[in-house]
Amino acid sequence: RIEYSQFNADIKVENSKIKLANSSKWPDVVIGGGLSTVAATRNSFIGEDFSYAPEAYFQIPIPIFNRQQGPRATSQATIKLLEAQTVAFTNQVEQEVSLAYSNFEGADKQLHLFLDEVLPEQKEILSLSQRSYELGFIDLTAAITAQQSALLSQINYCQVLTSYFQTIIDIERAIGKPISFNFSQMQLDG
C-alpha cells in the first residue's frame, strides 16, 4: 500500500537530518591571510612611512553548548515513532485483510448455496406449480404464490451476489491493489 512508501520516505528524511546534524557538530575551521599596513612613525602623514606586513589567522569555534544534540534526538525520536506507526499500520492492514477474507468466505458459501441448491430447487418448484396450474391441480393463488416465491429468491440471489462482489472490493481495498478474478467460471444466470 502507498502508506508504506510514505513511512519509508519519512524515515529516509529523518536519517538524512541525523547525517546533517552529525556533520554540523564539527566546527568550521576558518583560515585566512593578507597584508596589513603598519605606520612606521607616530607622526607620519597619510601615505608616508608605512610598511606592509603579512598577516595570517586561524579560527576554530569550539561548540560547548551546541553540539547538534537537539536535532539528532528529535530525528531519532521521529524515526522510532515512524517505525511504531509502521508496525501499527501493518497490524491494521492484517486485520482488514483477515476480516475482508472472512467476509468473502461467508459470501462465497452463500453464493454457492444459492447456485447449487436454492435456485435450482426454486426453478423446479416454479415449473411444477405452473404445470399443476395448467392441469388444474392448484388454483391461481397458489401459482402466483409460487411465482412470488421464485421472484423473492431471485432478489435474494442478487443481494447475495452484490454482497459477494462487495467482499472482493473490500479485499482489494485492504491489500491496496486489484486482484485478478475469473468470473467466467461462475454460473450467474440463476
Side-chain angles (χ1 to χ4, degrees):
R1 286 174 57 159
I2 190 79
E3 291 89 346
Y4 286 114
S5 300
Q6 183 63 44
F7 286 136
N8 289 335
D10 290 344
I11 288 173
K12 286 179 183 178
V13 167
E14 292 303 322
N15 281 326
S16 297
K17 286 180 182 179
I18 289 173
K19 287 179 183 178
L20 177 65
N22 285 339
S23 69
S24 297
K25 75 179 180 180
W26 297 103
D28 291 331
V29 177
V30 178
I31 300 173
L35 292 174
S36 64
T37 57
V38 179
T41 61
R42 227 182 229 206
N43 295 333
S44 64
F45 294 104
I46 296 177
E48 297 178 7
D49 295 330
F50 284 97
S51 64
Y52 297 98
E55 177 181 76
Y57 59 91
F58 185 72
Q59 178 183 4
I60 301 177
I62 301 175
I64 296 175
F65 298 110
N66 184 9
R67 300 197 54 142
Q68 299 295 321
Q69 293 142 336
R72 282 187 293 159
T74 301
S75 291
Q76 288 169 347
T78 303
I79 288 172
K80 286 182 183 178
L81 176 67
L82 288 169
E83 288 171 347
Q85 286 176 342
T86 302
V87 169
F89 185 71
T90 300
N91 291 338
Q92 177 187 348
V93 168
E94 286 174 357
Q95 288 176 350
E96 287 176 8
V97 170
S98 176
L99 178 64
Y101 186 72
S102 175
N103 290 340
F104 170 77
E105 285 181 325
D108 186 54
K109 286 179 184 176
Q110 251 186 332
L111 181 63
H112 284 292
L113 179 69
F114 265 87
L115 289 173
D116 297 338
E117 295 177 23
V118 174
L119 293 178
E121 287 176 9
Q122 195 61 43
K123 213 181 248 187
E124 186 178 336
I125 290 172
L126 184 60
S127 171
L128 288 175
S129 68
Q130 286 175 346
R131 183 74 177 142
S132 297
Y133 175 71
E134 289 170 0
L135 295 175
F137 293 128
I138 60 172
D139 61 351
L140 182 61
T141 307
I144 291 175
T145 303
Q147 191 170 16
Q148 186 179 21
S149 175
L151 287 174
L152 186 60
S153 293
Q154 289 291 325
I155 290 170
N156 288 338
Y157 168 71
C158 289
Q159 289 174 344
V160 166
L161 194 59
T162 302
S163 174
Y164 178 81
F165 288 122
Q166 183 61 47
T167 60
I168 293 172
I169 292 169
D170 291 342
I171 290 174
E172 290 176 338
R173 187 177 298 128
I175 62 174
K177 58 182 170 180
I179 55 175
S180 61
F181 191 79
N182 189 359
F183 293 109
S184 64
Q185 293 176 350
M186 294 179 58
Q187 288 180 321
L188 301 178
D189 59 348

